[in-house]
């Protein structure tokens, strides 16, 4: 085999990157360690495995009819009143068994892996009762043991007040605190708690005590914030949430608050493209000094596409983000949004999760707006594609 002349190398040890640099510099160390050499003959650009910090891929059914109705001019409320919206997915998810739900989630996780996403956050939130939220989180746990990507689960039982709950929003949240949180801890079903702070869902004041208890019990907090109206991001900053996600409605005030905090701002272009709404002010957030991650929000309602690279490149076009800012948003800043410090970079000691694109120039990747897929994906030091 002819030896490449001007190439880079990654030296792996087990699941991690041991060393990275020009091939010729690594060759001796690799030989001394008795390493197995995999020489790639064609040119490739190597990037860290992508990290999707916000998805709802555990669901059953389709909301194609909602999508069509929205594009015919029906409002979200009209659609909900005629049996669509989140409640439609709740109904379909509730009538699906844990096993079938896990199979659906695993197949979506596998699709993500083929597109280069090696770590995936998955939320509950279509169960909306203690028992049904537990079923979802147990299904996600099963996916975590089956899927080749790493799965990180989040409890989003505070997604909206379920139509069949006998009581008000505070009573529902108290029910979750008393009857759901202890089981989450006992069965180690998730390490993160999310809530949808919005007019039709929960107010910041309703969520504050719920979040305080979650935090006290050791959960990381993350918020569906400022999607249509503000209030969520201020609570995220106040309670030092790891991330505040959506932010389409954030104004200069919220941008400043986020920029001065350690809370990662997560833009969800999939929801903008899915609903035909404005994008989160990603450029302004970065200019003010916020840390910006980009996630797919893959869900059956507002963000059915779920292609992280396509969505990140589209956000880059509309918000004028450099390639570095886009790639940072789906790699190491996404890792930070999940509180993970062992991935998202090609550097010694980091997990050997990486993707190879069959191009000479890294700029080709975003230029193709997601149409160019990785030719190879490595997860924890092993090729999985
Ligand atoms: O992130 N905004 C709230 N929740 C989801 C949408 C859920 C749905 O419509 O099924 C989101 O966009
Ligand atoms: Fe979401």
């Amino acid at each position: 085999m002819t030896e490449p002349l001007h190439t880079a190398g990654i030296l792996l040890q087990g699941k991690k990157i041991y060393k990275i640099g020009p091939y010729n510099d690594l060759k001796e160390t690799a030989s001394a360690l008795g390493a197995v050499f995999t020489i790639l003959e064609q040119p490739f650009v190597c990037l860290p495995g992508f990290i999707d910090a916000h998805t709802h891929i555990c669901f059953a059914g389709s909301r194609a009819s909602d999508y069509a109705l929205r594009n015919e001019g029906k409002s979200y409320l009209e659609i909900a009143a005629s049996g669509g919206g989140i409640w439609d997915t709740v109904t379909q998810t509730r009538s699906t068994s844990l096993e079938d739900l896990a199979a659906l989630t695993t197949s979506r996780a596998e699709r993500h892996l083929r597109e280069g996403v090696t770590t995936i956050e998955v939320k509950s939130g279509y169960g909306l009762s203690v028992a049904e939220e537990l079923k979802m989180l147990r299904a996600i746990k099963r996916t975590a043991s089956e899927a080749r990507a790493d799965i990180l689960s989040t409890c989003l039982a505070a997604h909206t007040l379920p139509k069949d709950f006998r009581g008000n929003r505070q009573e529902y949240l108290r029910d979750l605190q008393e009857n759901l949180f202890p089981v989450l801890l006992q069965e180690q079903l998730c390490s993160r708690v999310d809530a949808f702070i919005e007019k039709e869902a929960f107010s910041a004041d309703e969520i504050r005590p719920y979040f305080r208890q979650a935090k006290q019990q050791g959960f990381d907090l993350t918020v569906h914030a400022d999607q249509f109206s503000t209030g969520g991001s201020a609570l995220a900053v106040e309670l030092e949430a790891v991330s505040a996600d959506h932010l389409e409605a954030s104004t200069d005030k919220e941008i400043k608050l986020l920029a001065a905090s350690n809370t990662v701002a997560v833009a969800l272009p999939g929801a903008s493209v899915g609903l035909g709404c404005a994008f989160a002010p990603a450029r302004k957030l970065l200019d003010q000094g916020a840390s910006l991650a980009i996630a797919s929000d893959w869900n059956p309602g507002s963000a059915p596409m779920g292609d992280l690279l396509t969505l990140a490149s589209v956000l880059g076009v509309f918000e004028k983000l450099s390639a570095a800012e886009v790639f940072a948003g789906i790699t190491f800043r996404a890792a930070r949004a999940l509180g993970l410090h062992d991935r998202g970079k090609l550097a010694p000691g980091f997990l050997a999760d990486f993707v190879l694109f069959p191009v000479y120039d890294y700029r080709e990747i975003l230029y193709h707006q997601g149409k160019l897929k990785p030719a190879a994906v490595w997860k924890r030091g092993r090729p999985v594609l």
Side-chain angles (χ1 to χ4, degrees):
M1 195 178 288
T2 48
E3 223 165 66
L5 291 174
H6 311 287
T7 52
I10 307 178
L11 186 52
L12 310 181
Q13 193 173 44
K15 298 174 191 168
K16 292 188 176 174
I17 296 172
Y18 181 72
K19 226 172 165 182
I20 184 160
Y23 173 79
N24 287 332
D25 296 357
L26 294 183
K27 211 165 69 172
E28 271 177 37
T29 325
S31 301
L33 290 171
V36 177
F37 284 75
T38 304
I39 301 204
L40 304 171
E41 301 278 353
Q42 287 168 290
F44 285 103
V45 168
C46 181
L47 294 174
F50 302 141
I51 296 169
D52 195 346
H54 182 137
T55 84
H56 307 249
I57 60 170
C58 182
F59 66 87
S62 162
R63 303 243 295 278
S65 59
D66 284 18
Y67 187 84
L69 287 172
R70 268 202 309 274
N71 294 343
E72 286 161 17
K74 290 270 186 304
S75 76
Y76 189 80
L77 283 181
E78 286 170 316
I79 292 169
S82 62
I86 291 179
W87 191 249
D88 181 23
T89 302
V90 171
T91 309
Q92 301 202 54
T93 303
R94 283 183 179 179
S95 62
T96 303
S97 69
L98 189 157
E99 293 71 26
D100 289 351
L101 212 45
L104 286 166
T105 311
T106 303
S107 85
R108 293 180 188 120
E110 287 294 302
R111 192 197 99 182
H112 240 15
L113 186 78
R114 286 194 296 278
E115 293 173 355
V117 185
T118 49
T119 298
I120 310 166
E121 186 260 13
V122 186
K123 299 176 194 298
S124 66
Y126 294 123
L128 303 189
S129 69
V130 170
E132 290 293 329
E133 284 292 310
L134 286 173
K135 183 182 85 184
M136 282 196 77
L137 288 159
R138 289 172 183 143
I140 299 169
K141 193 170 182 173
R142 184 170 295 196
T143 288
S145 70
E146 291 169 355
R148 293 173 299 167
D150 285 337
I151 306 291
L152 206 82
S153 61
T154 303
C155 174
L156 178 56
H159 199 177
T160 186
L161 179 68
K163 283 188 182 178
D164 59 351
F165 184 78
R166 290 160 194 263
N168 62 25
R169 293 198 285 256
Q170 275 102 337
E171 286 162 340
Y172 175 63
L173 294 172
R174 268 203 301 277
D175 182 34
L176 300 176
Q177 287 171 256
E178 285 165 18
N179 301 310
L180 180 62
F181 284 6
V183 191
L184 299 183
L185 291 168
Q186 225 166 47
E187 293 185 30
Q188 299 188 338
L189 288 173
C190 63
S191 57
R192 300 156 42 85
V193 169
D194 193 350
F196 186 21
I197 298 184
E198 194 50 64
K199 284 182 189 129
E200 298 90 41
F202 298 96
S203 72
D205 286 340
E206 284 161 349
I207 290 297
R208 190 178 284 101
Y210 177 78
F211 265 2
R212 281 214 174 111
Q213 184 182 339
K215 198 175 171 177
Q216 221 170 37
Q217 296 188 331
F219 294 102
D220 278 342
L221 304 179
T222 175
V223 190
H224 275 72
D226 304 357
Q227 185 180 12
F228 303 108
S229 58
T230 57
S233 58
L235 186 72
V237 171
E238 178 191 322
L239 297 182
E240 297 176 319
V242 283
S243 77
D245 306 22
H246 272 295
L247 311 176
E248 293 89 332
S250 298
T251 68
D252 289 349
K253 185 175 141 212
E254 287 75 34
I255 293 171
K256 280 209 171 70
L257 275 176
L258 285 163
S261 76
N262 285 323
T263 299
V264 178
V266 183
L268 304 175
S272 306
V273 169
L275 298 174
C277 296
F279 289 102
R283 181 71 269 148
K284 277 192 175 176
L285 282 156
L286 285 164
D287 287 345
Q288 291 289 317
S291 178
L292 179 87
I294 306 167
S296 74
D297 197 19
W298 190 358
N299 74 68
S302 61
M305 182 216 284
D307 185 321
L308 181 61
L309 185 59
T310 299
L311 293 165
S313 43
V314 167
L315 181 72
V317 175
F318 283 94
E319 282 293 308
K320 302 291 167 238
L321 309 180
S322 70
E325 288 167 335
V326 171
F327 288 134
I330 56 175
T331 58
F332 67 91
R333 285 179 178 153
R336 250 201 72 201
L338 295 177
L340 300 172
H341 303 283
D342 60 350
R343 66 196 72 197
K345 280 187 193 180
L346 297 176
F350 278 69
L351 281 180
D353 293 356
F354 54 85
V355 290
L356 298 171
F357 284 91
V359 287
Y360 278 103
D361 183 333
Y362 73 91
R363 289 174 298 190
E364 293 280 349
I365 300 169
L366 296 179
Y367 169 65
H368 282 90
Q369 300 188 313
K371 195 76 182 162
L372 183 78
K373 302 293 179 201
V377 178
W378 287 58
K379 177 66 195 157
R380 292 181 179 258
R382 290 178 184 279
V384 288
L385 174 77

